[in-house]
Amino acid sequence: MVTSERVQRILSDVRALSDDEKAELETELLAEDAAVGRAWGDEIDRRAARVLASDERGLSGDEMRSLFAMDPAEARRRLTERLAARK
């Protein structure tokens, strides 16, 4: 795998850290991942509340799996078509 110079510098810096510093870095990275996870969870809650508050039917599990399995551009196109058909 080819990595950029910037990634190589970061890896070099990480390798130079003490065990305590590596543990601190790991804690910081995990906290950042948790914050991102909470933000996504909040967004999912907002979207679910919108769907539940409306008469419109959301996507079924099968429809969601189908969208996740396809190319993102194609998934966006199909979602756009579906939203346009609702108007």
Side-chain angles (χ1 to χ4, degrees):
M1 177 203 297
V2 177
T3 57
S4 69
E5 287 181 34
R6 183 175 182 200
V7 170
Q8 288 299 321
R9 281 193 310 271
I10 292 169
L11 287 173
S12 178
D13 289 345
V14 168
R15 289 181 184 115
L17 295 174
S18 69
D19 288 342
D20 287 343
E21 290 170 323
K22 287 178 184 175
E24 183 181 348
L25 176 61
E26 181 180 20
T27 299
E28 290 295 324
L29 291 172
L30 289 173
E32 187 172 316
D33 281 350
V36 169
R38 280 190 302 278
W40 268 113
D42 291 346
E43 179 62 19
I44 290 168
D45 289 344
R46 280 191 295 278
R47 291 178 186 196
R50 268 198 330 255
V51 169
L52 293 173
S54 76
D55 291 336
E56 294 182 16
R57 183 178 76 69
L59 298 176
S60 71
D62 287 339
E63 289 170 313
M64 289 300 298
R65 281 187 286 284
S66 173
L67 288 171
F68 281 122
M70 64 181 67
D71 175 74
E74 177 64 14
R76 284 187 198 98
R77 186 187 68 73
R78 290 196 187 184
L79 282 172
T80 300
E81 287 174 356
R82 182 174 176 154
L83 290 172
R86 288 182 178 180
K87 294 179 182 180

